[in-house]
Amino acid sequence: MAGIWINSGVEWKLGSPQEFQDEATLHRLIQENPQLLPLAGSPPLTVLGSQIRLGSGLADILAIESSGRPTIIEVKLGRNPEARRSVVSQILAYAASLQGLDIDRLEQGPLRKPLADAGYESILNAVQDQDLEGEVDPDSFTTSLQGYLNQGDFRLVLVLDEVSDELERVVAYLDALTVQALTIDLITLKVYDVKGAKVALPQRVSPDLSATIPHTTTTRTRPAVPRKILSDGADVFRASIEDITGETRGVFDRMIEWAKQLVSLLNVSLVTTDLGNGKFHLRPKLVSGDYLATIWSEKQRPSIVVVRSAFERNAPNSLRQVERLIGSTIGKWAAIKDITPQVLEVLTAAYQEASGLESHNVDSDGLED
């Protein structure tokens, strides 16, 4: 029997979950902690807003995966009569209203106020703010999001404290029939009091689809989402710029040599990421796993992206130096496109600070004398 088992010193007993005072309490718990949801595939979620107007109703929570796939979340308590079957028709109606929207209409319509209230200009900004390493590629994300909207390929999530057998059967049947377009997560979430501490127990209900539709043999089709391919060192990155010549190639070569110099000077490793569509990253990686700077090769244009949170954790003094150099405050991240020797010098000092070493003398190319 699933649940929290507690031993008070005599025997093990199944604990009794606390009863949610109302649906708003469960709703708030999910909205503030979407990472609690054990979703199929474990995608990271960014909550875009709650009580979002979709068609004639209000969707409890609208979120989005980092791949660009929209997620609609409905929250119900088991004692609510709608928790048996009506919740399914509700969430399908919201999905039908969302299908076919273009991104601008979604941002300027249902999401206009929620995004503005959260301080975001767009869905992309919201997702980038949740990505600690700034890995969300704007072009790929936008293309994927619009593809999901066009196809109506969404994730639907039903969260309840108790799931009835009837709802489980309905979801199993629906999931089997819609396997090409939708992912449906049916989740129970209970909260227990264990010696004064609250313990959340989220569980994904996995109905036996074979018992509902025994001969279903379908495969999912998704909008193409580029996969990241990681490789050690700078060789793959260097190969990606072989066709670039002239001054631009010189900038790339200086950045690569700068990154390789960090490896020889400090306890730093290099990682190349192939994002697809001719886009590559080269990253000097700290022992902590953080990247202070990322060399970008996108559309054959060189730039270095710096991430504020990584600087705050590893090189806070150098953050101020970088901001003075580029003449502006770094928000979530900033792309430096004018790659001067001074830029490389300051970034070298940042990696030295992060490694706990004194600054080395650097020459005009930002490298050690």
Side-chain angles (χ1 to χ4, degrees):
M1 185 178 296
I4 297 292
W5 289 80
I6 302 173
N7 189 325
S8 59
V10 179
E11 60 180 339
W12 288 96
K13 292 185 178 181
L14 183 63
S16 299
Q18 294 182 332
E19 185 174 296
F20 287 99
Q21 181 178 357
D22 48 36
E23 282 184 356
T25 302
L26 179 56
H27 182 136
R28 186 165 54 252
L29 175 61
I30 298 302
Q31 183 178 350
E32 295 175 354
N33 306 279
Q35 70 276 7
L36 286 177
L37 299 177
L39 304 178
S42 303
L45 284 185
T46 296
V47 171
L48 301 175
S50 65
Q51 297 300 302
I52 304 300
R53 173 67 64 180
L54 293 177
S56 61
L58 297 174
D60 283 345
I61 299 172
L62 184 61
I64 192 165
E65 300 174 15
S66 57
S67 67
R69 191 183 192 199
T71 296
I72 304 171
I73 303 173
E74 276 299 294
V75 179
K76 288 285 186 290
L77 294 183
R79 61 178 181 264
N80 186 333
E82 294 181 345
R84 299 183 68 83
R85 285 178 295 182
S86 298
V87 65
V88 176
S89 62
Q90 286 178 356
I91 202 167
L92 289 176
Y94 300 146
S97 298
L98 191 60
Q99 182 185 18
L101 288 180
D102 59 44
I103 297 175
D104 287 341
R105 286 177 58 196
L106 180 59
E107 291 176 338
Q108 298 304 316
L111 288 178
R112 182 176 181 178
K113 187 175 187 303
L115 288 174
D117 289 346
Y120 300 125
E121 296 180 356
S122 66
I123 296 172
L124 174 62
N125 292 155
V127 175
Q128 287 175 324
D129 190 53
Q130 301 299 316
D131 190 273
L132 293 179
E133 296 179 355
E135 287 188 351
V136 178
D137 177 66
D139 292 339
S140 298
F141 176 83
T142 301
T143 299
S144 296
L145 171 56
Q146 190 60 64
Y148 285 125
L149 290 171
N150 291 343
Q151 294 188 30
D153 186 349
F154 309 135
R155 181 185 294 272
L156 309 182
V157 183
L158 302 175
V159 183
L160 304 95
D161 57 340
E162 294 282 352
V163 172
S164 67
D165 292 340
E166 182 179 15
L167 178 61
E168 186 174 338
R169 287 194 300 271
V170 170
V171 170
Y173 177 76
L174 184 62
D175 195 32
L177 291 180
T178 61
V179 69
Q180 289 185 316
L182 299 173
T183 294
I184 305 177
D185 291 290
L186 180 59
I187 293 172
T188 61
L189 198 156
K190 302 176 187 295
V191 173
Y192 297 79
D193 187 300
V194 180
K195 295 184 177 179
K198 288 188 175 181
V199 177
L201 179 64
Q203 293 179 299
R204 184 171 183 268
V205 179
S206 300
D208 182 4
L209 300 184
S210 62
T212 306
I213 301 181
H215 301 298
T216 299
T217 56
T218 56
T219 57
R220 294 187 183 273
T221 57
R222 301 258 182 256
V225 179
R227 291 187 176 183
K228 301 171 186 175
I229 302 175
L230 303 180
S231 58
D232 293 331
D235 292 344
V236 172
F237 186 87
R238 188 184 293 277
S240 73
I241 61 169
E242 282 301 317
D243 294 337
I244 301 177
T245 60
E247 182 178 349
T248 300
R249 176 55 184 269
V251 174
F252 274 119
D253 286 341
R254 286 195 296 274
M255 291 193 299
I256 292 173
E257 291 308 310
W258 165 76
K260 292 173 66 177
Q261 189 78 2
L262 290 179
V263 175
S264 65
L265 289 174
L266 308 168
N267 193 6
V268 171
S269 58
L270 292 184
V271 178
T272 295
T273 305
D274 180 355
L275 298 170
N277 298 323
K279 300 173 183 177
F280 291 82
H281 288 167
L282 177 61
R283 289 176 158 178
K285 181 180 178 181
L286 294 166
V287 174
S288 66
D290 275 339
Y291 309 91
L292 298 180
T294 298
I295 299 174
W296 275 72
S297 170
E298 180 179 354
K299 299 177 182 178
Q300 299 190 339
R301 293 197 298 265
S303 63
I304 294 180
V305 173
V306 292
V307 180
R308 183 178 191 88
S309 58
F311 269 82
E312 289 176 340
R313 288 191 296 271
N314 300 280
N317 295 329
S318 296
L319 174 61
R320 293 189 290 272
Q321 297 175 9
V322 174
E323 289 180 331
R324 283 198 296 268
L325 183 63
I326 66 177
S328 63
T329 300
I330 298 173
K332 174 65 179 177
W333 54 273
I336 305 174
K337 298 181 180 180
D338 185 13
I339 313 300
T340 65
Q342 291 74 26
V343 167
L344 299 180
E345 179 178 345
V346 168
L347 292 178
T348 298
Y351 272 91
Q352 290 167 344
E353 179 186 351
S355 300
L357 302 177
E358 294 294 331
S359 297
H360 293 261
N361 293 324
V362 294
D363 60 22
S364 60
D365 289 326
L367 306 178
E368 184 187 34
D369 289 335

